[in-house]
């Protein structure tokens, strides 16, 4: 299996894919908790089989100890083997600060998929609408503070506190009504994405 995967990894189409993944991985930045939750939902629920297979192959090739997570050492080695270039330690630190959303010190599969996917393709109108509807638990067309608490694990170990929930609403709620409409949600998700 390793021989098959290794030979497949060096075919021309995959080199194009890995080149795009390299660029997306280095430039990924999802600082807002709600944005991170949306990316995770889209990756886990809405990617096509073909999208998952491309990224999965690269992740498995880089995950040399097969633990489902990428260490800084594996990223460094993977960049050289699969992207054809050495990566500096400060560049690795930057990648981890942007991609390691749970700050575990490793990049898990979900974080890797989100970071390497092209954001513009990942955040299609249909996917944004589906994610919004999943977060809008009562179906009233707004995401309330209580729904944000449910989405982001308020009060759970590693979850949010009240101030963080308030800050999320404040940052995303453009009209100041205390809730997040689909338009505000989409605006937050699509902000700073290149056309």
């Amino acid at each position: 299996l390793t021989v098959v995967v290794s030979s497949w990894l060096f075919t021309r189409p995959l080199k194009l894919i890995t080149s795009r993944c390299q660029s997306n991985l280095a430039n990924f930045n999802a600082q807002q908790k709600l944005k991170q939750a949306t990316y995770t939902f889209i990756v886990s629920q809405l990617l096509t089989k073909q999208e998952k297979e491309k990224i999965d192959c690269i992740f498995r090739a880089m995950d040399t100890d097969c633990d489902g997570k990428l260490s800084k050492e594996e990223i460094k080695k993977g960049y050289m083997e699969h992207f054809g270039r050495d990566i500096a330690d400060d560049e690795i630190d930057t990648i981890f600060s942007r991609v390691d959303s749970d700050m575990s010190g490793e990049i898990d599969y979900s974080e890797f998929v989100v970071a390497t996917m092209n954001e513009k393709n990942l955040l299609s109108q249909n996917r944004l609408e589906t994610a919004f509807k999943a977060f809008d638990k009562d179906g009233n067309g707004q995401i309330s503070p209580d729904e944000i608490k449910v989405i982001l694990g308020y009060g759970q170990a590693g979850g949010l506190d009240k101030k963080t929930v308030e800050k999320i609403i404040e940052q995303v709620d453009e009209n100041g009504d205390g809730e997040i409409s689909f338009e505000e949600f989409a605006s937050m998700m699509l902000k700073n994405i290149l056309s």
Side-chain angles (χ1 to χ4, degrees):
L1 180 63
T2 304
V3 173
V4 172
V5 170
S6 295
S7 64
W8 188 79
L9 276 172
F10 292 102
T11 61
R12 188 172 183 92
L14 189 60
K15 283 188 179 182
L16 294 173
I17 293 164
T18 57
S19 174
R20 284 188 213 113
C21 288
Q22 172 191 351
S23 173
N24 292 339
L25 184 61
N27 294 316
F28 177 75
N29 189 358
Q31 294 301 317
Q32 297 174 350
K33 294 287 187 186
L34 183 56
K35 196 168 188 176
Q36 291 169 355
T38 304
Y39 279 125
T40 301
F41 176 81
I42 290 171
V43 165
S44 65
Q45 303 293 320
L46 306 177
L47 290 187
T48 66
K49 183 179 177 184
Q50 184 181 15
E51 287 170 326
K52 284 183 182 177
E53 285 174 353
K54 289 174 185 176
I55 302 298
D56 187 51
C57 184
I58 297 166
F59 184 87
R60 283 185 282 128
M62 291 177 78
D63 183 18
T64 55
D65 64 3
C66 301
D67 67 351
K69 302 170 193 162
L70 299 178
S71 66
K72 289 183 178 184
E73 184 178 310
E74 287 172 317
I75 293 284
K76 188 173 185 74
K77 185 178 177 187
Y79 256 71
M80 180 53 77
E81 289 181 10
H82 306 294
F83 301 143
R85 77 172 186 91
D86 194 20
I87 183 170
D89 289 342
D90 62 336
E91 202 173 346
I92 291 175
D93 291 341
T94 299
I95 289 171
F96 270 74
S97 72
R98 293 176 175 175
V99 178
D100 182 18
S101 60
D102 63 4
M103 295 191 272
S104 67
E106 297 178 300
I107 295 174
D108 65 31
Y109 179 76
S110 172
E111 291 167 333
F112 181 81
V113 174
V114 170
T116 55
M117 284 289 298
N118 177 297
E119 283 183 283
K120 190 174 179 184
N121 295 336
L122 189 63
L123 299 176
S124 68
Q125 179 78 11
N126 185 45
R127 287 177 176 165
L128 286 175
E129 287 173 358
T130 303
F132 183 84
K133 286 176 185 172
F135 295 164
D136 177 18
K137 303 289 185 195
D138 64 9
N140 72 346
Q142 303 282 333
I143 299 174
S144 69
D146 287 339
E147 289 167 330
I148 287 181
K149 290 175 184 177
V150 171
I151 297 163
L152 301 177
Y154 178 77
Q156 298 173 3
L160 302 181
D161 58 25
K162 185 177 179 180
K163 280 191 172 205
T164 306
V165 172
E166 289 170 357
K167 189 163 184 111
I168 289 169
I169 293 288
E170 179 185 313
Q171 289 176 348
V172 181
D173 178 23
E174 295 171 1
N175 68 4
D177 67 356
E179 297 187 317
I180 299 170
S181 68
F182 175 73
E183 292 74 21
E184 292 165 336
F185 175 78
S187 174
M188 171 203 64
M189 292 304 300
L190 297 171
K191 190 175 186 178
N192 300 327
I193 293 178
L194 300 175
S195 50

